[in-house]
Amino acid sequence: MTPYSDSRTADLAAEHDRKNQQVIEEARQSGRINDEAAAYLTELYSDSLVWFREVFYFLGKCFGAPKAPVMRYDYATDSAVPEPIKLSDINPLSPYIVHHRLDADPMRNQFFTSGAGHKIDLAVSSIVTVIVGAQKSVNRALDKMTGKYYSAYVDEVAMTVYRVIASHGRLASARAIADKIRAKLNEKYISTPSETVLSIIGSGHEKIAVELVRALDQVPRPRMRLQDIWRVKCLFDLIPQARTFIERVREMMPDRILSVRDNFYDMKNPRNYRDAKLIIDIGKDGRVVPMEIICQVRTFFEFERKTHEHYEISRRAENRRGRKTAVASANIERKLADFMEGGVKEYNLMICQCLEDLFDRVGWNILYSQGSDVSMFDGFPKPCKLYYPPKILDIIVDKLDNAIENEVFHITNAPIKLTQAQESEIFHYMAWFILVCAMPYFQHDWTVPSDNMAGKLFNFVMTEVQRYYKKASK
């Protein structure tokens, strides 16, 4: 592709903005969206080149300069196009991929394999792959705002009304009014529900009107659920690296963070996706412009790419059967969750290999730290606020101490005979490393190979994690 001049890039972006504004206005005039939604979309789809450059500047603040040539990105193949681009070529119409280094990486140079001679291959690197998406299609944004986002909004409004009225002991009335509100909101796009709700409940509910309005004001409007007009995906080797990045952003620009969601440990979402999401405000001069940052581990992303074809086959098969949409959707979600479980397992196998690498170096660590309080493991990985509940740690530590006392776990490669206290410290650290890095998984009968100490300890720790989640779900 021929590089664009700065003026040519600006002209393309301006024409792109003009077409988007036309689509938004047509949607407003047709009644597909109301004035409030149109105003919000107009704000987001103006000055696209400015906001795309803000995305670029934000990444520079977080990571510094790129560590490799910036390449165009192809959504169809989920891969880079071997075509370097310059800063002047970057525009909101084209996605690109760039590699940065996470300077605050708590895992730097810890995991590697030694090849012939002096050759060293990093198994886990500090390099972060960043995929910067093009501006979301305005038609796709409209589909979301008037489709799944609006449906979720209607459900939440109806449930809020039901909950408030039912709390006053009027269950039958609550159910009837919630059904009427759901039907009314589905007639046309309405994003200010209080007036509609109050007109439906009529007389007899004046005493709870104020409580209803306050509760409805807390329901996010459909437009506010649209937060991925600008989006970035960051691929890390390990979860602690992703969480280090998230906490670094928190420290650098706390006033810019609109929300944070960490799903690396989440086993409740139907698709079994494991990632973290930040919504960052890249706006200026009082304008709020959200940008979505998805943090994902590289192994899981690569596995997800491999499952796209299987997912499409499942989706087409369900559609051909002519089942009800809800049933077909549930079947697809379940199959996709099973696919994603494979990604979790593949990632955990890598963590187990890292754990084995650490065990191989335990003896050296003890030897080097004799006569000093310094350990090779100090500060690695860094403590993290995004963590398992303390109760899990307490349970595992207690059972681990019993296992060490009974010599279920025993260090065999130390250069000197270790005391039980020393062995306990080592195994506590290793168990903590597993908890910080690994993902819990659904299938209770799955284990990693346990023909070495790393596998035995990994299975021991993750079994306790599964037991905790199983009890918590009851």
Side-chain angles (χ1 to χ4, degrees):
M1 184 179 293
T2 304
Y4 301 121
S5 65
D6 282 341
S7 60
R8 174 61 173 158
T9 301
D11 290 343
L12 283 171
E15 176 62 15
H16 182 61
D17 291 344
R18 186 193 66 76
K19 291 180 179 178
N20 285 339
Q21 296 301 320
Q22 183 178 347
V23 172
I24 295 167
E25 179 59 20
E26 290 173 355
R28 186 191 68 81
Q29 290 186 5
S30 68
R32 187 181 180 190
I33 56 175
N34 59 11
D35 292 346
E36 180 189 57
Y40 182 71
L41 286 174
T42 298
E43 184 88 353
L44 293 185
Y45 281 92
S46 299
D47 302 321
S48 61
L49 186 58
V50 171
W51 304 129
F52 202 63
R53 291 287 168 85
E54 284 299 314
V55 173
F56 182 91
Y57 296 146
F58 170 84
L59 294 173
K61 291 175 186 176
C62 292
F63 294 118
K67 303 306 177 187
V70 180
M71 301 283 187
R72 300 192 187 279
Y73 190 76
D74 181 13
Y75 285 135
T77 60
D78 269 336
S79 59
V81 177
E83 180 186 347
I85 58 176
K86 298 182 297 184
L87 177 61
S88 57
D89 300 334
I90 293 176
N91 66 82
L93 285 73
S94 302
Y96 69 89
I97 185 170
V98 59
H99 300 284
H100 291 280
R101 176 175 287 117
L102 181 64
D103 291 332
D105 178 15
M107 302 295 184
R108 181 179 296 177
N109 300 331
Q110 289 288 343
F111 303 111
F112 54 85
T113 56
S114 299
H118 57 78
K119 183 175 177 56
I120 297 294
D121 293 321
L122 288 177
V124 174
S125 75
S126 302
I127 296 299
V128 183
T129 299
V130 182
I131 302 169
V132 181
Q135 183 189 56
K136 180 184 285 293
S137 160
V138 68
N139 288 312
R140 179 69 178 134
L142 282 166
D143 288 343
K144 282 192 168 186
M145 186 183 288
T146 59
K148 70 174 186 177
Y149 291 159
Y150 189 72
S151 295
Y153 161 76
V154 171
D155 289 341
E156 199 168 337
V157 168
M159 288 303 299
T160 298
V161 171
Y162 175 84
R163 186 177 63 253
V164 172
I165 297 178
S167 68
H168 290 265
R170 305 175 181 181
L171 293 178
S173 178
R175 190 175 299 108
I177 291 175
D179 289 342
K180 288 181 180 178
I181 288 169
R182 192 186 302 276
K184 187 68 176 177
L185 294 183
N186 280 322
E187 290 178 2
K188 66 175 183 177
Y189 189 98
I190 299 174
S191 58
T192 50
S194 296
E195 183 177 344
T196 303
V197 170
L198 293 177
S199 67
I200 289 176
I201 66 174
S203 60
H205 296 284
E206 291 84 354
K207 292 182 180 180
I208 62 173
V210 173
E211 185 180 350
L212 266 174
V213 171
R214 287 176 178 171
L216 290 171
D217 285 344
Q218 301 302 312
V219 178
R221 305 297 186 253
R223 63 184 177 84
M224 300 309 297
R225 299 167 193 246
L226 183 66
Q227 298 181 319
D228 60 347
I229 301 297
W230 305 108
R231 60 242 197 250
V232 168
K233 178 169 282 191
C234 298
L235 304 180
F236 303 83
D237 281 345
L238 299 177
I239 290 174
Q241 295 171 322
R243 288 176 168 160
T244 295
F245 166 71
I246 292 170
E247 292 185 356
R248 186 178 186 184
V249 173
R250 277 176 160 169
E251 293 170 0
M252 290 175 57
M253 49 191 79
D255 55 328
R256 290 274 183 173
I257 295 179
L258 299 176
S259 66
V260 178
R261 183 212 69 194
D262 182 349
N263 278 354
F264 286 120
Y265 291 167
D266 182 18
M267 296 194 293
K268 295 181 180 179
N269 67 85
R271 291 194 175 191
N272 199 17
Y273 266 49
R274 306 299 182 89
D275 59 18
K277 179 190 292 186
L278 291 87
I279 304 298
I280 301 293
D281 178 17
I282 59 171
K284 299 187 296 184
D285 302 324
R287 299 172 68 178
V288 176
V289 178
M291 175 179 73
E292 178 186 79
I293 305 175
I294 297 294
C295 298
Q296 200 170 45
V297 292
R298 203 180 308 274
T299 303
F300 195 83
F301 174 75
E302 292 297 333
F303 189 90
E304 181 186 352
R305 288 174 56 189
K306 298 174 186 176
T307 63
H308 286 172
E309 182 179 350
H310 297 287
Y311 171 67
E312 286 300 319
I313 292 172
S314 296
R315 184 182 62 81
R316 288 195 296 269
E318 296 293 355
N319 289 342
R320 281 197 301 269
R321 290 171 188 162
R323 297 183 181 181
K324 292 182 179 179
T325 303
V327 175
S329 178
N331 288 338
I332 292 171
E333 295 290 332
R334 186 169 57 254
K335 290 177 181 177
L336 185 58
D338 290 340
F339 289 147
M340 294 298 100
E341 184 78 349
V344 173
K345 292 176 182 178
E346 190 169 324
Y347 172 77
N348 280 346
L349 286 171
M350 182 187 69
I351 297 302
C352 196
Q353 181 59 55
C354 291
L355 189 68
E356 186 176 359
D357 293 341
L358 286 179
F359 268 114
D360 287 341
R361 284 182 276 155
V362 166
W364 290 99
N365 176 50
I366 295 169
L367 189 64
Y368 281 137
S369 61
Q370 288 299 303
S372 71
D373 295 327
V374 178
S375 168
M376 286 169 58
F377 296 148
D378 283 350
F380 160 71
K382 292 181 179 179
C384 182
K385 299 172 187 175
L386 305 169
Y387 208 62
Y388 282 110
K391 189 174 181 180
I392 294 182
L393 305 181
D394 295 338
I395 293 171
I396 290 175
V397 166
D398 287 343
K399 293 192 175 185
L400 185 56
D401 284 340
N402 290 332
I404 294 170
E405 186 176 346
N406 295 321
E407 296 191 350
V408 175
F409 295 115
H410 176 61
I411 298 295
T412 58
N413 64 339
I416 59 174
K417 182 174 177 56
L418 301 177
T419 65
Q420 187 172 311
Q422 287 174 317
E423 290 205 343
S424 178
E425 182 180 357
I426 292 169
F427 281 110
H428 282 191
Y429 170 80
M430 296 298 190
W432 175 60
F433 174 80
I434 295 169
L435 289 170
V436 169
C437 295
M439 296 187 210
Y441 41 86
F442 283 115
Q443 296 181 9
H444 298 284
D445 58 344
W446 183 79
T447 57
V448 302
S450 56
D451 53 352
N452 55 32
M453 188 64 70
K456 288 172 62 177
L457 182 62
F458 186 93
N459 290 331
F460 175 88
V461 172
M462 296 309 289
T463 295
E464 294 304 321
V465 170
Q466 287 182 312
R467 285 175 179 166
Y468 176 87
Y469 276 111
K470 188 175 182 179
K471 289 180 181 178
S473 64
K474 290 182 178 179

